[in-house]
Structures are given as structure tokens and as C-alpha cells.
Amino acid sequence: ALVADRQRRMWIGTRAGLSIWNGDSFFNLTRENGLPSDNITALLATDDGVWIGTNNGGLYRFAQNRLFVYNAENAGLLSDTVTALAAAADGSILVGSERGLARFQDGRTTAVSDIPPLPVRSLVAAPDGRIWVGTAGRGLYAFDGQTWRQITQGLPSLTVTALLLDRYATLWVGGESGGLARLVD
């Protein structure tokens, strides 16, 4: 996972921990120096910090030089394996996991029950409220601001591993078995 924050630092998540490049040097975080999980699976930079998704360690938020830890026990996450993150237009954080999609806001989690609790592989949200969720084996789910619909036709694979919304609001879809598709609504 890769993301740049507001201070122009690069955050690099790996299976062996988290590295932060400040332009001059790296700062590394692992379990040895306080990171609850070394396996970083998703990163998201917002105005108030960096969100860190992990494999079996839950969700972290780094803000004000502190690490906040959220998991199934203390915040009701659907799973402590976080696979994808996105900032929703309503200010919530969308959290994809092995058990589906949820909204995280004010320290609490609410499952998005309009779509099945499928493993989420990729996630993207637009400023206008649209959301796309790439799943393992069931294609793409799209939210237009009011309703959800499933998309399976025209995808490179039914396991959608990558989503990108470009500056022209065009959605690009990458599949597990290779290939790239441009979604045209």
C-alpha cells in the first residue's frame, strides 16, 4: 500500500511493517517498536491523519503523532483484516474487509447491508457520493448516491483487485487475472 499525506510524506505499507519517507530519510514502524501488526494492507490519507489497514490487526489512525487502534472488539469492525480504505463524501471512512463493507465514523462501525458481506479487494469513492467496491469473485458493486447495483459484464475478471477514479471521473478497473477495463456509465 502507498499514500502521500498532507505533509508530502510517503507512507509505504508492506507485510513487514510501515515505512515513512519524509523527503530525506525513512522512519520504519514494526511490531518491535510498537506497531500492533506488521502486515499493512491499505493506506488512506485524510485531512486529519493517515488511516492504516492491516491483516489481522484492525484499523489504525495516525494523527497528532499518536496511533489510535480500532478493531472488532473496541469499534465493531466487521473483521480485523482490513483490505481496502476510502474516504466517503459524508466524512465517514469506508472500510473493506474479508467480511464486507462498512462505514467507520466517530469510533463506531456500521455495516453496509445493501451489498452482500463479500470479501472486498478494492474500493474507491467520489466526492459526489458515488462508491465502487471491487469484490473477490462477484465483480463490482456501484453506489450512485441512492442505490447499489452489481456489475459483472465487461470486467477483466470477477475478482476486482484495483480501482482508480481519474481526474475526469472515469473509473478504471483491474482484474485478478490481468486486464484493464474503463467503466462507462
Side-chain angles (χ1 to χ4, degrees), residues 8-181:
R8 298 178 56 168
R9 295 176 295 202
M10 288 301 302
W11 295 66
I12 304 148
T14 71
R15 291 182 181 158
L18 183 65
S19 293
I20 304 162
W21 172 253
N22 66 11
D24 293 319
S25 60
F26 279 102
F27 178 74
N28 297 309
L29 292 172
T30 65
R31 289 187 85 146
E32 290 179 4
N33 59 7
L35 196 64
S37 172
D38 280 339
N39 195 342
I40 308 304
T41 55
L43 293 168
L44 172 68
T46 61
D47 289 342
D48 66 344
V50 174
W51 294 86
I52 304 162
T54 69
N55 184 13
N56 258 349
L59 177 66
Y60 314 147
R61 182 171 68 100
F62 184 81
Q64 303 159 355
N65 289 322
R66 292 179 50 204
L67 188 67
F68 301 86
V69 179
Y70 306 99
N71 54 40
E73 185 177 324
N74 71 9
L77 292 182
L78 301 180
S79 168
D80 284 335
T81 296
V82 175
T83 55
L85 296 167
D90 67 1
S92 66
I93 301 299
L94 298 170
V95 181
S97 74
E98 292 298 311
R99 294 187 180 146
L101 179 67
R103 288 183 185 274
F104 182 83
Q105 194 164 29
D106 299 324
R108 299 304 311 152
T109 304
T110 305
V112 176
S113 59
D114 294 321
I115 61 174
L118 303 166
V120 173
R121 293 292 175 254
S122 52
L123 183 58
V124 70
D128 65 4
R130 293 177 299 151
I131 301 168
W132 294 271
V133 180
T135 68
R138 297 281 297 273
L140 186 65
Y141 283 82
F143 181 67
D144 63 10
Q146 295 182 4
T147 59
W148 286 93
R149 66 184 169 100
Q150 183 182 19
I151 300 169
T152 57
Q153 298 297 313
L155 300 176
S157 168
L158 289 179
T159 297
V160 177
T161 56
L163 293 170
L164 173 74
L165 190 64
D166 70 19
R167 64 181 173 173
Y168 303 107
T170 300
L171 182 69
W172 295 87
V173 181
E176 178 180 55
S177 56
L180 179 67

